[in-house]
Amino acid sequence: MQSINTHLKILIAILLCLGVAITGYQIYVMEIPLTEDETDDIWSLDAKLEFEAAQGVPVKAQMFIPPLAQDYVSLNESFISNNYGVSINQQNGNRRVTWSARRATGTQALYYRLVLTQRYSSEPPAAVMPPLRDPIALEGAEQVAVNALISPIRQHSADIETFISEAISRVNDITDDNVKLLLGGDTSPIAKARVIDVLLAQARIPLELVHTIRLENLTNQEPELWLRSHNGERWLYFHPETGQQGIPENRLVWWTGSEPLFDIDGGRRGQLTLTVTNSEMNALRLAEMTADNGSSQLLEYSLYGLPLHAQQVYRVMIMIPIGVLVILLLRNIIGIQTLGTFTPVLISLAFRETQVGWGIVLFTLITALGLSLRSYLEHLKLQMLPRLSIVLTFVVIIIAIISLFSHKLGIERALSVSLFPMVILTMTIERLSINWEERGGGHSFKVALGTLVAATLAHLLMTIPELAYFFFTFPATLLILVAFMLAMGRYRGYRLTELMRFKALTKQG
């Protein structure tokens, strides 16, 4: 006996751990939404490149586009142009699109759109430390100015991070004559970044110019320049003017390097308009889209991977254990008597078609008529099997008559007594008739009432949309239910109805 108890406890613990672990993995690692109406941010990036095409000259327009291996996953990427060929190539670690046409006349407009989300993105590839570089060769006054700036920077820094911070601080002091000489009168962020690059090259520290955009609802946005360097473990980001370290979360890297965002051959007066818009999408639909794109295996092995018609079936089936749990609690804890365990669950499934109100009315009416007919046939002294056959046949006739009159009266809900509810009703009447034969009419009435109450409660719980979504999306929670049912299987205590009955006896004594 002791070994059985130990075995049961171990089994319960295993099921609980499995259910909690799998569900937790789905929620916290795979980031499956907890509710069906949960939404996620979707970012749409639109770039419009306009220019005047020169007559009689082939046109080639090139533009950097964001890399896809970032903290964001691409849902859609499109290139829109009229009579242009489109190709994408890699250039110095960047993606670059090329629009080309043999002839073009007048104003041209080329469009690029990228739709992103962050929730289901995979981990970006590990950063690779760029090779150390040689100092940039300078002459005359520029070399003297660089040496004058490098000396205090070395004294006030201890590693790559502090060296870069100090260099940025020095270069942004435009009152310094050495800085003025190196900037040459240009105080733009790109000019300061070039001077910082020269200083870091003297210390053989790698540096990249990173052009980003803000993921905010902005029209005609200008790319924002950041600097990044590698300390041997990770990328370090710095703002070239403020010296702020650490790139904000709402920045998306567009391209790296000192080259301009776009370049046009065979055209002039080029102008680029960047627009970022935000919208929301149902998180579950978003998960399906990312899985379709091959960027995530989020739903590959879930019930959402089944065909739609099969999903509809399993959405109902997955809730049956919930109904069984309700019946278990009502029978073992409260003490309500029902027609077994599965019959009330079947009746609650029938209520999905008839709805609860009409289901109770139809159940009560048809069951009462069926049992009344059974009582009448008892006077004819028929054997039980022929008597049940006659009862079930008349039940079908009664259901048909009710449906016919309901249709004439315009009560369409009563027409929902289809084959599935009819089979359940006839089966219920058969079991009640057998119970009447064995235990008497009073007990049959009590069992019928308990079955109806249990079926109603089970139906109300099984049709809660949030609960149905949760169990369908996280089916491993059924293992937790099984563990609870196993624990209930060893319950030998009093039912609530028994406590009430014994309390009444105590008062009488």
Side-chain angles (χ1 to χ4, degrees):
M1 188 68 180
Q2 183 65 31
S3 61
I4 295 177
N5 289 334
T6 303
H7 179 82
L8 181 62
K9 290 178 181 179
I10 293 174
L11 181 59
I12 292 173
I14 291 175
L15 291 174
L16 279 175
C17 292
L18 275 177
V20 172
I22 295 174
T23 305
Y25 179 81
Q26 289 181 293
I27 295 173
Y28 295 106
V29 178
M30 302 179 71
E31 297 184 339
I32 298 180
L34 283 172
T35 59
E36 194 169 12
D37 56 354
E38 187 173 340
T39 60
D40 277 314
D41 285 329
I42 301 294
W43 298 99
S44 297
L45 284 57
D46 292 284
K48 179 182 179 182
L49 179 59
E50 295 179 290
F51 60 92
E52 291 288 337
Q55 293 186 352
V57 178
V59 176
K60 184 170 73 171
Q62 295 182 310
M63 183 183 74
F64 288 112
I65 55 178
L68 299 181
Q70 298 193 55
D71 292 333
Y72 294 83
V73 60
S74 170
L75 299 178
N76 182 45
E77 186 177 40
S78 56
F79 305 87
I80 304 172
S81 58
N82 185 20
N83 297 323
Y84 278 83
V86 179
S87 62
I88 302 174
N89 54 71
Q90 297 287 334
Q91 180 179 342
N92 298 327
N94 294 307
R95 295 173 71 228
R96 197 171 195 179
V97 59
T98 301
W99 287 281
S100 57
R102 177 66 62 182
R103 291 182 180 84
T105 305
T107 302
Q108 305 295 301
L110 307 174
Y111 297 90
Y112 169 73
R113 163 168 283 195
L114 179 64
V115 182
L116 300 169
T117 185
Q118 189 176 26
R119 179 173 188 139
Y120 301 108
S121 61
S122 57
E123 289 293 328
V128 178
M129 183 176 180
L132 299 177
R133 54 185 181 160
D134 297 326
I136 298 175
L138 300 172
E139 295 181 356
E142 290 185 344
Q143 184 64 55
V144 174
V146 168
N147 291 336
L149 290 171
I150 282 290
S151 180
I153 292 175
R154 290 185 187 277
Q155 293 178 2
H156 293 88
S157 61
D159 51 20
I160 291 178
E161 184 176 346
T162 54
F163 190 98
I164 298 174
S165 297
E166 185 66 21
I168 293 174
S169 177
R170 295 280 178 176
V171 171
N172 278 280
D173 182 11
I174 58 176
T175 62
D176 189 305
D177 292 334
N178 296 309
V179 174
K180 287 181 180 179
L181 175 64
L182 294 173
L183 288 175
D186 185 359
T187 58
S188 65
I190 191 69
K192 293 178 180 179
R194 290 193 182 101
V195 174
I196 296 169
D197 187 32
V198 171
L199 294 176
L200 296 184
Q202 306 306 309
R204 304 176 63 85
I205 297 176
L207 184 73
E208 285 187 350
L209 278 63
V210 179
H211 305 267
T212 68
I213 60 168
R214 296 172 180 262
L215 291 182
E216 298 176 357
N217 284 304
L218 293 174
T219 303
N220 200 15
Q221 184 177 162
E222 290 291 333
E224 184 180 36
L225 178 63
W226 284 76
L227 307 176
R228 75 178 180 185
S229 181
H230 205 282
N231 65 354
E233 298 179 356
R234 58 188 176 88
W235 287 112
L236 304 173
Y237 287 85
F238 301 86
H239 194 278
E241 293 186 296
T242 65
Q244 175 186 341
Q245 184 176 348
I247 191 169
E249 292 184 356
N250 67 338
R251 300 297 195 276
L252 176 74
V253 174
W254 194 282
W255 84 101
T256 61
S258 57
E259 294 186 58
L261 175 55
F262 65 90
D263 178 64
I264 301 173
D265 291 334
R268 57 192 178 89
R269 292 205 297 253
Q271 181 180 0
L272 183 70
T273 304
L274 288 176
T275 303
V276 179
T277 56
N278 172 252
S279 59
E280 291 185 345
M281 178 181 285
N282 179 269
L284 193 60
R285 172 59 185 150
L286 183 58
E288 293 172 347
M289 290 180 63
T290 56
D292 291 341
N293 288 344
S295 59
S296 171
Q297 295 183 346
L298 177 64
L299 302 175
E300 183 177 354
Y301 297 105
S302 72
L303 294 177
Y304 289 97
L306 297 173
L308 291 178
H309 67 277
Q311 288 188 35
Q312 298 301 320
V313 175
Y314 278 97
R315 283 182 183 274
V316 178
M317 288 180 56
I318 205 76
M319 297 305 292
I320 290 178
I322 306 299
V324 172
L325 179 64
V326 172
I327 307 305
L328 176 63
L329 293 175
L330 291 177
R331 287 173 62 97
N332 281 25
I333 302 299
I334 298 178
I336 294 179
Q337 298 182 16
T338 63
L339 283 174
T341 301
F342 202 57
T343 299
V345 177
L346 289 176
I347 295 174
S348 67
L349 290 177
F351 286 169
R352 296 176 64 92
E353 298 185 38
T354 63
Q355 299 300 317
V356 176
W358 276 106
I360 293 175
V361 171
L362 292 172
F363 177 87
T364 305
L365 179 61
I366 295 173
T367 303
L369 291 175
L371 291 178
S372 299
L373 178 62
R374 179 253 168 230
S375 180
Y376 168 75
L377 293 175
E378 187 178 2
H379 294 288
L380 300 179
K381 306 300 182 181
L382 299 178
Q383 294 183 0
M384 185 178 71
L385 185 58
R387 189 163 62 242
L388 285 177
S389 302
I390 296 171
V391 169
L392 296 182
T393 302
F394 269 92
V395 165
V396 175
I397 296 174
I398 291 170
I399 292 174
I401 293 174
I402 291 176
S403 298
L404 178 62
F405 276 96
S406 299
H407 176 65
K408 295 297 182 181
L409 296 175
I411 306 175
E412 299 299 326
R413 178 57 64 183
L415 296 177
S416 58
V417 184
S418 59
L419 180 62
F420 178 58
M422 185 181 70
V423 170
I424 294 174
L425 283 172
T426 53
M427 181 190 71
T428 302
I429 292 173
E430 178 183 12
R431 294 200 62 183
L432 284 174
S433 298
I434 295 174
N435 192 277
W436 192 314
E437 293 280 348
E438 297 175 350
R439 307 285 296 273
H443 185 267
S444 296
F445 175 78
K446 184 186 298 184
V447 169
L449 181 61
T451 301
L452 189 59
V453 170
T456 303
L457 292 176
H459 171 78
L460 294 176
L461 192 62
M462 292 167 63
T463 53
I464 297 176
E466 294 79 9
L467 199 61
Y469 166 82
F470 188 85
F471 277 91
F472 184 80
T473 309
F474 307 101
T477 49
L478 294 180
L479 297 177
I480 302 175
L481 289 188
V482 174
F484 179 77
M485 292 175 185
L486 285 172
M488 286 293 300
R490 301 301 297 273
Y491 178 72
R492 297 292 186 269
Y494 289 108
R495 278 71 168 170
L496 293 179
T497 53
E498 293 174 339
L499 291 176
M500 294 173 60
R501 186 171 72 250
F502 292 150
K503 185 176 181 180
L505 291 174
T506 303
K507 289 182 178 180
Q508 290 177 3

